[in-house]
Amino acid sequence: MTTANRAVFVAALAIAADIGLARVGYGLVLPAIRHDLGGGYALYGAIAAIHVGGYLAGTIAAPSLLRDRARLPRMTAITHALVALFLVVSALAPNALVLTLARLAIGLASGVGIASAVTDALERVAPERRGIASALAWSAIGIALVASAPAGAWTLGEAVRWRIVTALWALPAVAVVLFAWLLPAQPPQREAAADEPFRWRDMLRADNVFFVAAYAGFGVAYLAFMTFAVSAFAARGIGPHAVTLIWAACGVAVVFGSLGVGVVLGSRAHRWALAIPLASGGVGSFLANVPGVAGAMVGVI
């Protein structure tokens, strides 16, 4: 396996650990967490939002922390050691406050860690292969959803089981530490002169503001759906084993969606590359409210 392929594998593993398990998996075990720690859905929704807020803060801080390209693999390893550590802290949390602080730390570390892993991978890959490399890396979210799907039903059996599952989710992050540490540093590269330096206020320009607003709207909807979908299905009487199949189907759909991005961008439909997924998400959210297993299944897909 070439160094570039190894770096793409590390990026995929990092995305699976940080998003597929640590973030999205929170919604999968949320019913068990509530049963164990108590509290209402507003509390646990706030905890999920704080996690994502930490991720956003880490992502914003990442460019300043990742200027030395030779240190990217080390930064990936260090941040994922922190992700693993605070997943264990989450698993041991005696109350919602400790859980909140642990998940904030996971969000901060994963924000920097994913930026580091993905940047390192794409800079090692030839320009013409970066699209497929990115699609493969992000499809790891779906693989993580499929692999973790049985945990939702299993954690409902005993209150302590969500703690076991959360601790086990630290293992992929530990694997990222090991594989990233073994990656050689990138050779020194001459920096290409940018036409214009990036400025945050440019995101508010007229030609960018719609994109920012659309992606922000998607983020809010995605956070709400993936945090509360399993709890909502359970409250509507959908059994644990059916929820497992629904979650796995969602994972399979994520894999196909990630790989399908390249097809859309390479076709005449590229002008609709933002509208297609947003429309799909909106229709899916509506269908997921249709009573019964079929509506939930079609909606998440």
Side-chain angles (χ1 to χ4, degrees), residues 178-276:
L178 297 176
F179 286 116
W181 201 265
L182 294 174
L183 280 174
Q186 290 189 45
Q189 297 178 356
R190 189 175 67 181
E191 292 287 339
D195 294 334
E196 185 179 344
F198 174 78
R199 298 170 300 182
W200 284 104
R201 65 176 179 270
D202 290 342
M203 300 300 287
L204 298 178
R205 288 196 328 232
D207 53 346
N208 287 332
V209 69
F210 175 76
F211 172 77
V212 173
Y215 199 76
F218 159 77
V220 172
Y222 154 78
L223 173 65
F225 189 91
M226 298 309 294
T227 300
F228 297 119
V230 171
S231 297
F233 295 155
R236 281 158 42 188
I238 297 177
H241 297 297
V243 171
T244 297
L245 292 176
I246 292 168
W247 197 260
C250 182
V252 172
V254 168
V255 172
F256 279 99
S258 299
L259 298 178
V261 168
V263 176
V264 172
L265 292 177
S267 70
R268 291 183 178 181
H270 71 276
R271 293 180 178 273
W272 301 91
L274 178 62
I276 290 172

Coordinates of all heavy atoms in Angstrom, one line a residue, residues 178-276:
L178 N -2.3 4.9 16.2 CA -1.2 4.0 15.8 C -0.9 4.2 14.3 O 0.3 4.3 13.9 CB -1.7 2.5 16.1 CG -1.9 2.2 17.5 CD1 -2.4 0.8 17.7 CD2 -0.6 2.4 18.3
F179 N -1.9 4.2 13.4 CA -1.6 4.2 12.0 C -1.1 5.6 11.6 O -0.2 5.7 10.7 CB -2.9 3.9 11.2 CG -3.3 2.5 11.2 CD1 -4.5 2.0 11.7 CD2 -2.4 1.5 10.6 CE1 -4.8 0.7 11.7 CE2 -2.8 0.2 10.6 CZ -4.0 -0.2 11.1
A180 N -1.6 6.7 12.2 CA -1.1 8.0 11.9 C 0.3 8.2 12.3 O 1.1 8.8 11.6 CB -2.0 9.1 12.5
W181 N 0.7 7.6 13.5 CA 2.0 7.8 14.0 C 3.0 7.1 13.1 O 4.2 7.5 13.0 CB 2.1 7.2 15.4 CG 3.3 7.7 16.2 CD1 4.5 7.1 16.3 CD2 3.3 8.9 16.9 NE1 5.3 7.9 17.1 CE2 4.6 9.0 17.5 CE3 2.4 9.9 17.2 CZ2 5.0 10.1 18.3 CZ3 2.8 11.0 18.0 CH2 4.0 11.1 18.5
L182 N 2.6 6.1 12.4 CA 3.5 5.3 11.5 C 3.6 6.0 10.1 O 4.5 5.6 9.3 CB 3.0 3.9 11.3 CG 3.0 3.0 12.5 CD1 2.4 1.7 12.2 CD2 4.5 2.8 13.0
L183 N 2.8 7.0 9.8 CA 2.9 7.7 8.5 C 4.2 8.6 8.5 O 4.4 9.3 9.4 CB 1.7 8.6 8.3 CG 0.4 7.9 7.7 CD1 -0.7 8.9 7.7 CD2 0.6 7.3 6.4
P184 N 4.9 8.5 7.4 CA 6.1 9.5 7.3 C 5.6 10.9 7.1 O 4.5 11.1 6.6 CB 6.8 8.9 6.1 CG 5.8 8.2 5.3 CD 4.8 7.6 6.2
A185 N 6.4 11.8 7.5 CA 6.0 13.2 7.3 C 6.0 13.5 5.8 O 6.8 12.9 5.0 CB 7.0 14.1 8.0
Q186 N 5.2 14.5 5.4 CA 5.2 14.9 4.0 C 6.6 15.6 3.7 O 7.1 16.3 4.5 CB 4.1 15.9 3.7 CG 2.7 15.3 3.8 CD 1.7 16.3 3.3 OE1 1.9 17.0 2.3 NE2 0.6 16.5 4.0
P187 N 7.1 15.4 2.5 CA 8.3 16.1 2.1 C 8.0 17.6 2.0 O 6.9 18.0 1.7 CB 8.6 15.5 0.7 CG 7.4 14.9 0.2 CD 6.6 14.5 1.4
P188 N 9.0 18.4 2.2 CA 8.8 19.9 2.1 C 8.3 20.2 0.7 O 8.7 19.7 -0.3 CB 10.2 20.5 2.3 CG 10.9 19.4 3.1 CD 10.4 18.1 2.6
Q189 N 7.3 21.1 0.6 CA 6.7 21.5 -0.6 C 6.7 23.1 -0.7 O 6.5 23.7 0.3 CB 5.2 21.1 -0.8 CG 5.1 19.5 -0.8 CD 3.6 19.1 -0.9 OE1 2.8 19.9 -0.8 NE2 3.4 17.8 -1.0
R190 N 6.9 23.6 -1.9 CA 6.9 25.0 -2.1 C 5.5 25.5 -2.0 O 4.6 25.0 -2.8 CB 7.6 25.4 -3.4 CG 7.8 26.9 -3.5 CD 8.5 27.2 -4.8 NE 7.7 26.9 -6.0 CZ 8.2 27.0 -7.2 NH1 9.4 27.5 -7.5 NH2 7.4 26.7 -8.2
E191 N 5.2 26.4 -1.2 CA 3.8 27.0 -1.1 C 3.5 27.7 -2.3 O 4.2 28.6 -2.8 CB 3.8 27.9 0.1 CG 3.9 27.2 1.5 CD 2.7 26.4 1.8 OE1 1.6 26.7 1.3 OE2 2.8 25.5 2.6
A192 N 2.3 27.4 -2.9 CA 1.8 28.1 -4.0 C 1.2 29.5 -3.6 O 0.5 29.6 -2.6 CB 0.7 27.3 -4.7
A193 N 1.6 30.5 -4.3 CA 1.1 31.8 -3.9 C -0.4 32.0 -4.1 O -0.9 31.7 -5.2 CB 1.8 32.9 -4.7
A194 N -1.1 32.3 -3.1 CA -2.6 32.5 -3.2 C -2.9 33.8 -3.9 O -2.2 34.8 -3.6 CB -3.2 32.4 -1.9
D195 N -3.9 33.8 -4.7 CA -4.3 35.1 -5.3 C -4.8 36.1 -4.3 O -4.6 37.3 -4.4 CB -5.4 34.8 -6.4 CG -4.9 34.0 -7.5 OD1 -3.7 34.1 -7.8 OD2 -5.7 33.4 -8.2
E196 N -5.5 35.5 -3.3 CA -6.1 36.4 -2.3 C -6.2 35.6 -1.0 O -6.7 34.4 -1.0 CB -7.5 36.8 -2.8 CG -8.2 37.8 -1.8 CD -9.5 38.2 -2.4 OE1 -9.8 37.9 -3.6 OE2 -10.3 38.7 -1.6
P197 N -5.7 36.1 0.2 CA -5.8 35.3 1.4 C -7.3 35.2 1.8 O -8.1 36.0 1.6 CB -5.0 36.2 2.4 CG -5.1 37.6 1.8 CD -5.1 37.4 0.3
F198 N -7.5 34.0 2.5 CA -8.9 33.8 3.0 C -9.2 34.7 4.2 O -8.4 34.9 5.0 CB -9.0 32.3 3.4 CG -10.4 32.0 4.1 CD1 -11.5 31.8 3.3 CD2 -10.5 31.9 5.5 CE1 -12.7 31.6 3.9 CE2 -11.7 31.7 6.1 CZ -12.8 31.5 5.3
R199 N -10.4 35.2 4.2 CA -10.9 36.1 5.3 C -12.3 35.6 5.6 O -13.1 35.4 4.7 CB -10.9 37.6 4.9 CG -9.5 38.1 4.5 CD -9.6 39.5 3.9 NE -10.4 39.5 2.6 CZ -10.7 40.5 1.9 NH1 -10.2 41.7 2.2 NH2 -11.4 40.4 0.8
W200 N -12.5 35.5 6.9 CA -13.8 35.0 7.4 C -15.0 35.9 6.9 O -16.1 35.4 6.6 CB -13.9 34.9 8.9 CG -13.1 33.7 9.4 CD1 -11.9 33.6 9.9 CD2 -13.5 32.3 9.3 NE1 -11.5 32.4 10.2 CE2 -12.5 31.5 9.8 CE3 -14.6 31.7 8.8 CZ2 -12.5 30.1 9.9 CZ3 -14.7 30.3 8.8 CH2 -13.7 29.5 9.4
R201 N -14.8 37.2 6.8 CA -15.9 38.1 6.4 C -16.3 37.8 4.9 O -17.4 38.2 4.5 CB -15.5 39.5 6.6 CG -14.3 40.0 5.8 CD -14.1 41.5 6.0 NE -13.0 42.1 5.3 CZ -11.7 42.1 5.7 NH1 -11.5 41.6 6.9 NH2 -10.8 42.7 5.0
D202 N -15.4 37.2 4.2 CA -15.7 36.9 2.8 C -16.9 35.9 2.7 O -17.6 35.8 1.7 CB -14.5 36.3 2.0 CG -13.5 37.3 1.8 OD1 -13.8 38.5 1.9 OD2 -12.3 36.9 1.5
M203 N -17.1 35.1 3.8 CA -18.3 34.2 3.8 C -19.6 34.9 3.8 O -20.6 34.3 3.4 CB -18.2 33.3 5.0 CG -16.9 32.5 5.1 SD -16.7 31.3 3.7 CE -18.0 30.1 4.1
L204 N -19.6 36.2 4.1 CA -20.8 37.0 4.1 C -21.0 37.8 2.8 O -22.0 38.5 2.7 CB -20.8 38.0 5.3 CG -20.8 37.3 6.6 CD1 -20.7 38.3 7.7 CD2 -22.0 36.3 6.9
R205 N -20.1 37.5 1.8 CA -20.4 38.2 0.5 C -21.6 37.7 -0.1 O -22.0 36.5 0.1 CB -19.2 37.9 -0.4 CG -17.9 38.7 0.0 CD -16.9 38.6 -1.2 NE -17.0 37.4 -2.0 CZ -15.9 36.7 -2.3 NH1 -14.7 37.0 -1.8 NH2 -16.0 35.6 -3.1
A206 N -22.2 38.5 -1.0 CA -23.5 38.1 -1.7 C -23.4 36.7 -2.4 O -24.3 36.0 -2.4 CB -23.9 39.2 -2.6
D207 N -22.2 36.4 -3.0 CA -22.1 35.1 -3.7 C -21.8 34.0 -2.8 O -21.8 32.8 -3.3 CB -21.0 35.3 -4.8 CG -19.7 35.7 -4.3 OD1 -19.7 36.2 -3.1 OD2 -18.7 35.6 -5.0
N208 N -21.6 34.2 -1.5 CA -21.4 33.1 -0.6 C -22.5 32.9 0.4 O -22.6 31.8 1.0 CB -20.0 33.3 0.1 CG -18.8 33.1 -0.7 OD1 -18.9 32.3 -1.7 ND2 -17.7 33.8 -0.4
V209 N -23.2 33.9 0.7 CA -24.1 33.9 1.8 C -25.2 32.8 1.7 O -25.6 32.2 2.7 CB -24.8 35.3 2.1 CG1 -25.7 35.7 0.9 CG2 -25.5 35.4 3.4
F210 N -25.7 32.6 0.4 CA -26.7 31.5 0.3 C -26.1 30.2 0.6 O -26.8 29.3 1.3 CB -27.3 31.5 -1.2 CG -28.2 30.4 -1.4 CD1 -29.5 30.4 -0.9 CD2 -27.8 29.2 -2.1 CE1 -30.4 29.4 -1.1 CE2 -28.6 28.2 -2.3 CZ -29.9 28.2 -1.8
F211 N -24.9 29.9 0.2 CA -24.3 28.6 0.5 C -24.1 28.4 2.0 O -24.4 27.4 2.5 CB -22.9 28.5 -0.2 CG -22.1 27.3 0.2 CD1 -22.4 26.1 -0.3 CD2 -21.1 27.4 1.1 CE1 -21.7 24.9 0.1 CE2 -20.4 26.3 1.5 CZ -20.7 25.1 1.0
V212 N -23.7 29.5 2.6 CA -23.5 29.4 4.1 C -24.8 29.2 4.8 O -24.9 28.3 5.7 CB -22.8 30.7 4.6 CG1 -22.8 30.7 6.1 CG2 -21.4 30.9 4.0
A213 N -25.8 29.9 4.4 CA -27.2 29.7 5.0 C -27.7 28.3 4.7 O -28.3 27.7 5.6 CB -28.1 30.8 4.5
A214 N -27.5 27.8 3.5 CA -28.0 26.5 3.2 C -27.3 25.4 4.0 O -28.0 24.5 4.5 CB -27.9 26.2 1.7
Y215 N -26.0 25.5 4.1 CA -25.3 24.5 4.8 C -25.6 24.6 6.3 O -25.6 23.6 7.0 CB -23.8 24.7 4.6 CG -23.0 23.4 4.9 CD1 -23.0 22.3 4.0 CD2 -22.3 23.3 6.1 CE1 -22.4 21.2 4.4 CE2 -21.6 22.1 6.4 CZ -21.7 21.1 5.5 OH -21.0 19.9 5.8
A216 N -25.8 25.8 6.8 CA -26.2 26.0 8.3 C -27.5 25.3 8.5 O -27.7 24.6 9.5 CB -26.2 27.4 8.6
G217 N -28.5 25.5 7.6 CA -29.8 24.9 7.7 C -29.7 23.4 7.7 O -30.3 22.7 8.5
F218 N -28.8 22.9 6.8 CA -28.6 21.4 6.7 C -28.0 20.9 8.1 O -28.4 19.9 8.6 CB -27.7 21.1 5.6 CG -27.0 19.8 5.8 CD1 -27.7 18.6 5.5 CD2 -25.7 19.7 6.2 CE1 -27.0 17.4 5.7 CE2 -25.0 18.5 6.3 CZ -25.7 17.3 6.1
G219 N -27.1 21.7 8.6 CA -26.4 21.3 9.8 C -27.4 21.2 11.0 O -27.3 20.2 11.8
V220 N -28.3 22.1 11.1 CA -29.3 22.1 12.2 C -30.2 20.9 12.0 O -30.5 20.2 13.0 CB -30.1 23.4 12.2 CG1 -31.3 23.3 13.2 CG2 -29.2 24.6 12.6
A221 N -30.7 20.7 10.8 CA -31.6 19.5 10.5 C -30.9 18.2 10.8 O -31.4 17.3 11.4 CB -32.1 19.6 9.1
Y222 N -29.6 18.1 10.3 CA -28.9 16.9 10.5 C -28.6 16.6 11.9 O -28.8 15.4 12.4 CB -27.5 17.0 9.7 CG -26.4 16.2 10.2 CD1 -26.3 14.9 9.9 CD2 -25.3 16.8 10.9 CE1 -25.2 14.1 10.3 CE2 -24.3 16.1 11.4 CZ -24.2 14.7 11.1 OH -23.1 14.0 11.5
L223 N -28.3 17.6 12.7 CA -28.0 17.4 14.1 C -29.3 16.9 14.8 O -29.3 16.0 15.6 CB -27.6 18.7 14.8 CG -27.4 18.8 16.3 CD1 -26.4 17.8 16.7 CD2 -27.1 20.2 16.8
A224 N -30.4 17.6 14.5 CA -31.7 17.2 15.2 C -32.1 15.8 14.8 O -32.5 15.0 15.6 CB -32.8 18.2 14.8
F225 N -32.0 15.5 13.5 CA -32.5 14.1 13.0 C -31.6 13.0 13.6 O -32.1 12.1 14.2 CB -32.4 14.1 11.5 CG -33.1 12.9 10.9 CD1 -34.4 12.9 10.6 CD2 -32.4 11.7 10.7 CE1 -35.1 11.8 10.1 CE2 -33.0 10.6 10.2 CZ -34.3 10.6 9.9
M226 N -30.3 13.1 13.5 CA -29.4 12.0 13.9 C -29.4 11.9 15.4 O -29.1 10.8 15.9 CB -28.0 12.2 13.3 CG -28.0 12.2 11.8 SD -28.8 10.7 11.0 CE -27.8 9.4 11.6
T227 N -29.7 13.0 16.1 CA -29.7 12.9 17.6 C -31.0 12.2 18.1 O -30.9 11.4 19.0 CB -29.6 14.3 18.2 OG1 -28.3 14.9 17.8 CG2 -29.6 14.2 19.7
F228 N -32.1 12.5 17.5 CA -33.4 12.1 18.1 C -34.1 11.0 17.3 O -35.2 10.6 17.7 CB -34.3 13.3 18.2 CG -33.7 14.3 19.2 CD1 -33.5 15.6 18.8 CD2 -33.5 14.0 20.5 CE1 -33.0 16.5 19.7 CE2 -33.0 14.9 21.4 CZ -32.7 16.2 21.0
A229 N -33.6 10.6 16.1 CA -34.3 9.7 15.2 C -34.6 8.4 16.0 O -35.8 7.9 16.0 CB -33.6 9.4 14.0
V230 N -33.6 7.8 16.6 CA -33.8 6.5 17.3 C -34.8 6.6 18.4 O -35.7 5.8 18.6 CB -32.5 5.9 17.8 CG1 -32.7 4.7 18.7 CG2 -31.6 5.6 16.6
S231 N -34.7 7.7 19.2 CA -35.6 7.9 20.3 C -37.0 8.1 19.8 O -38.0 7.6 20.4 CB -35.2 9.1 21.1 OG -33.9 9.0 21.7
A232 N -37.2 8.8 18.7 CA -38.5 9.0 18.1 C -39.1 7.7 17.6 O -40.3 7.4 17.8 CB -38.4 10.1 17.0
F233 N -38.3 6.9 16.9 CA -38.8 5.6 16.4 C -39.2 4.7 17.5 O -40.3 4.1 17.5 CB -37.7 4.9 15.6 CG -37.3 5.7 14.3 CD1 -36.1 5.5 13.7 CD2 -38.2 6.6 13.7 CE1 -35.7 6.2 12.6 CE2 -37.9 7.2 12.5 CZ -36.6 7.0 12.0
A234 N -38.4 4.7 18.6 CA -38.8 3.9 19.8 C -40.1 4.4 20.4 O -40.9 3.6 20.8 CB -37.6 3.9 20.8
A235 N -40.2 5.7 20.5 CA -41.4 6.3 21.1 C -42.7 5.9 20.3 O -43.8 5.9 20.8 CB -41.3 7.8 21.3
R236 N -42.5 5.7 19.0 CA -43.7 5.4 18.1 C -43.9 3.9 18.1 O -44.8 3.5 17.3 CB -43.4 5.9 16.7 CG -43.7 7.4 16.6 CD -42.9 8.1 15.4 NE -42.9 7.3 14.2 CZ -42.2 7.6 13.1 NH1 -41.5 8.7 13.2 NH2 -42.3 6.9 12.0
G237 N -43.2 3.1 18.9 CA -43.5 1.7 19.0 C -42.7 0.8 18.1 O -43.0 -0.4 18.0
I238 N -41.8 1.4 17.3 CA -40.9 0.6 16.4 C -39.9 -0.2 17.3 O -39.2 0.4 18.1 CB -40.2 1.5 15.4 CG1 -41.2 2.2 14.5 CG2 -39.2 0.6 14.6 CD1 -40.6 3.1 13.5
G239 N -39.9 -1.5 17.1 CA -39.1 -2.4 18.0 C -37.6 -2.2 17.8 O -37.1 -1.7 16.8
P240 N -36.8 -2.6 18.8 CA -35.3 -2.4 18.8 C -34.7 -3.1 17.5 O -33.8 -2.5 17.0 CB -34.9 -3.1 20.1 CG -36.0 -3.0 21.0 CD -37.2 -3.2 20.1
H241 N -35.2 -4.3 17.2 CA -34.5 -4.9 16.0 C -34.9 -4.2 14.7 O -34.0 -4.2 13.8 CB -35.0 -6.4 16.0 CG -34.5 -7.2 17.2 ND1 -33.2 -7.4 17.5 CD2 -35.2 -7.8 18.2 CE1 -33.1 -8.1 18.6 NE2 -34.3 -8.3 19.0
A242 N -36.1 -3.7 14.6 CA -36.4 -2.9 13.4 C -35.6 -1.6 13.4 O -35.1 -1.2 12.3 CB -37.9 -2.6 13.4
V243 N -35.4 -1.0 14.5 CA -34.5 0.2 14.6 C -33.1 -0.1 14.1 O -32.4 0.7 13.4 CB -34.5 0.8 16.0 CG1 -33.5 1.9 16.1 CG2 -35.9 1.4 16.3
T244 N -32.6 -1.3 14.5 CA -31.3 -1.8 14.1 C -31.2 -1.8 12.6 O -30.2 -1.3 12.0 CB -30.9 -3.1 14.7 OG1 -30.9 -3.0 16.1 CG2 -29.6 -3.6 14.2
L245 N -32.2 -2.4 11.9 CA -32.2 -2.5 10.5 C -32.3 -1.1 9.8 O -31.7 -0.8 8.8 CB -33.4 -3.4 10.0 CG -33.3 -4.8 10.4 CD1 -34.6 -5.6 9.9 CD2 -32.1 -5.5 9.7
I246 N -33.1 -0.2 10.4 CA -33.3 1.1 9.9 C -31.9 1.9 9.9 O -31.5 2.5 9.0 CB -34.3 1.9 10.7 CG1 -35.7 1.3 10.4 CG2 -34.3 3.4 10.3 CD1 -36.8 1.8 11.3
W247 N -31.2 1.8 11.1 CA -29.9 2.4 11.2 C -28.9 1.9 10.3 O -28.1 2.6 9.7 CB -29.5 2.2 12.7 CG -28.4 3.2 13.1 CD1 -27.0 2.9 13.2 CD2 -28.5 4.5 13.6 NE1 -26.4 4.0 13.6 CE2 -27.2 5.0 13.9 CE3 -29.6 5.4 13.7 CZ2 -27.0 6.3 14.3 CZ3 -29.4 6.7 14.2 CH2 -28.1 7.1 14.5
A248 N -28.9 0.6 10.1 CA -28.0 -0.1 9.1 C -28.3 0.4 7.7 O -27.4 0.7 6.9 CB -28.1 -1.6 9.2
A249 N -29.6 0.5 7.4 CA -30.0 1.0 6.0 C -29.5 2.4 5.8 O -29.1 2.8 4.7 CB -31.5 0.9 5.9
C250 N -29.6 3.2 6.9 CA -29.1 4.6 6.8 C -27.6 4.6 6.4 O -27.2 5.4 5.6 CB -29.4 5.3 8.1 SG -28.9 7.0 8.1
G251 N -26.9 3.7 7.1 CA -25.4 3.6 6.8 C -25.1 3.2 5.4 O -24.2 3.8 4.8
V252 N -25.9 2.2 4.9 CA -25.7 1.8 3.5 C -26.0 3.0 2.5 O -25.2 3.2 1.6 CB -26.6 0.6 3.2 CG1 -26.5 0.3 1.7 CG2 -26.1 -0.6 4.0
A253 N -27.0 3.7 2.8 CA -27.4 4.9 2.0 C -26.3 6.0 2.0 O -26.0 6.6 1.0 CB -28.7 5.5 2.4
V254 N -25.7 6.1 3.2 CA -24.6 7.1 3.3 C -23.4 6.7 2.4 O -22.8 7.6 1.8 CB -24.2 7.3 4.8 CG1 -22.9 8.0 4.9 CG2 -25.2 8.0 5.6
V255 N -23.1 5.4 2.4 CA -22.0 5.0 1.6 C -22.3 5.3 0.1 O -21.5 5.8 -0.6 CB -21.7 3.5 1.8 CG1 -20.7 3.0 0.8 CG2 -21.2 3.2 3.2
F256 N -23.5 4.9 -0.4 CA -23.8 5.2 -1.8 C -23.9 6.7 -2.1 O -23.5 7.1 -3.1 CB -25.2 4.5 -2.1 CG -25.0 3.0 -2.4 CD1 -25.3 2.1 -1.4 CD2 -24.6 2.6 -3.6 CE1 -25.1 0.7 -1.7 CE2 -24.4 1.2 -3.9 CZ -24.7 0.3 -2.9
G257 N -24.4 7.4 -1.1 CA -24.5 8.9 -1.3 C -23.1 9.5 -1.4 O -22.9 10.4 -2.3
S258 N -22.2 9.1 -0.5 CA -20.8 9.6 -0.6 C -20.1 9.3 -1.9 O -19.5 10.1 -2.5 CB -20.0 9.0 0.6 OG -20.6 9.4 1.8
L259 N -20.3 8.0 -2.4 CA -19.7 7.6 -3.6 C -20.4 8.2 -4.8 O -19.8 8.4 -5.9 CB -19.7 6.1 -3.7 CG -18.9 5.4 -2.6 CD1 -19.0 3.8 -2.8 CD2 -17.4 5.8 -2.6
G260 N -21.7 8.6 -4.6 CA -22.4 9.2 -5.7 C -22.1 10.6 -6.0 O -22.5 11.2 -7.1
V261 N -21.4 11.3 -5.1 CA -21.1 12.7 -5.2 C -20.3 12.9 -6.5 O -20.5 13.8 -7.3 CB -20.3 13.2 -4.0 CG1 -19.7 14.6 -4.3 CG2 -21.3 13.3 -2.8
G262 N -19.3 12.0 -6.7 CA -18.5 12.1 -7.9 C -19.3 12.0 -9.2 O -19.0 12.7 -10.2
V263 N -20.3 11.1 -9.2 CA -21.1 10.9 -10.4 C -21.9 12.2 -10.7 O -22.0 12.6 -11.8 CB -22.1 9.7 -10.2 CG1 -23.0 9.6 -11.4 CG2 -21.3 8.4 -9.9
V264 N -22.5 12.8 -9.6 CA -23.2 14.0 -9.8 C -22.4 15.2 -10.3 O -22.7 15.9 -11.3 CB -23.9 14.4 -8.5 CG1 -24.6 15.8 -8.6 CG2 -25.0 13.4 -8.1
L265 N -21.2 15.3 -9.7 CA -20.3 16.4 -10.1 C -19.7 16.2 -11.5 O -19.4 17.2 -12.1 CB -19.2 16.6 -9.1 CG -19.6 17.0 -7.7 CD1 -18.4 17.1 -6.7 CD2 -20.2 18.4 -7.7
G266 N -19.6 15.0 -11.9 CA -19.1 14.7 -13.2 C -20.1 14.7 -14.3 O -19.8 14.3 -15.5
S267 N -21.4 15.0 -14.0 CA -22.4 15.0 -15.0 C -23.1 16.3 -15.2 O -22.7 17.3 -14.6 CB -23.5 14.0 -14.6 OG -24.2 14.5 -13.4
R268 N -24.1 16.4 -16.1 CA -24.8 17.6 -16.3 C -25.5 18.1 -15.0 O -25.9 19.3 -14.9 CB -25.8 17.5 -17.4 CG -25.1 17.3 -18.8 CD -26.2 17.3 -19.9 NE -25.5 17.1 -21.2 CZ -26.2 17.1 -22.3 NH1 -27.6 17.1 -22.3 NH2 -25.6 17.0 -23.5
A269 N -25.7 17.2 -14.1 CA -26.4 17.5 -12.9 C -25.6 18.3 -11.9 O -26.1 18.6 -10.8 CB -27.0 16.2 -12.2
H270 N -24.4 18.6 -12.2 CA -23.5 19.2 -11.3 C -24.0 20.6 -10.8 O -23.7 21.0 -9.6 CB -22.1 19.4 -11.9 CG -22.0 20.5 -12.9 ND1 -22.3 20.2 -14.2 CD2 -21.6 21.8 -12.9 CE1 -22.1 21.4 -14.9 NE2 -21.8 22.3 -14.1
R271 N -24.8 21.2 -11.6 CA -25.4 22.5 -11.1 C -26.4 22.3 -10.0 O -26.8 23.2 -9.3 CB -26.1 23.2 -12.3 CG -25.1 23.7 -13.4 CD -25.9 24.4 -14.5 NE -25.0 24.9 -15.5 CZ -24.4 26.1 -15.5 NH1 -24.6 26.9 -14.4 NH2 -23.6 26.5 -16.4
W272 N -26.9 21.1 -9.8 CA -27.8 20.7 -8.8 C -27.2 20.0 -7.6 O -27.9 19.4 -6.8 CB -29.0 19.9 -9.4 CG -29.7 20.6 -10.5 CD1 -29.4 20.5 -11.9 CD2 -30.8 21.5 -10.4 NE1 -30.3 21.3 -12.6 CE2 -31.1 21.9 -11.7 CE3 -31.5 21.9 -9.3 CZ2 -32.2 22.8 -11.9 CZ3 -32.6 22.8 -9.6 CH2 -32.9 23.2 -10.9
A273 N -25.9 20.1 -7.5 CA -25.1 19.3 -6.5 C -25.5 19.7 -5.1 O -25.3 18.9 -4.2 CB -23.6 19.4 -6.8
L274 N -25.9 20.9 -4.9 CA -26.4 21.4 -3.6 C -27.9 21.1 -3.4 O -28.3 20.6 -2.3 CB -26.1 22.9 -3.4 CG -26.6 23.4 -2.0 CD1 -25.8 22.8 -0.9 CD2 -26.4 25.0 -2.0
A275 N -28.6 21.3 -4.4 CA -30.1 21.2 -4.3 C -30.5 19.7 -4.1 O -31.4 19.4 -3.4 CB -30.8 21.7 -5.5
I276 N -29.8 18.8 -4.8 CA -30.2 17.4 -4.8 C -30.1 16.8 -3.3 O -31.1 16.2 -2.8 CB -29.4 16.5 -5.7 CG1 -29.8 16.9 -7.2 CG2 -29.6 15.0 -5.5 CD1 -28.9 16.2 -8.2

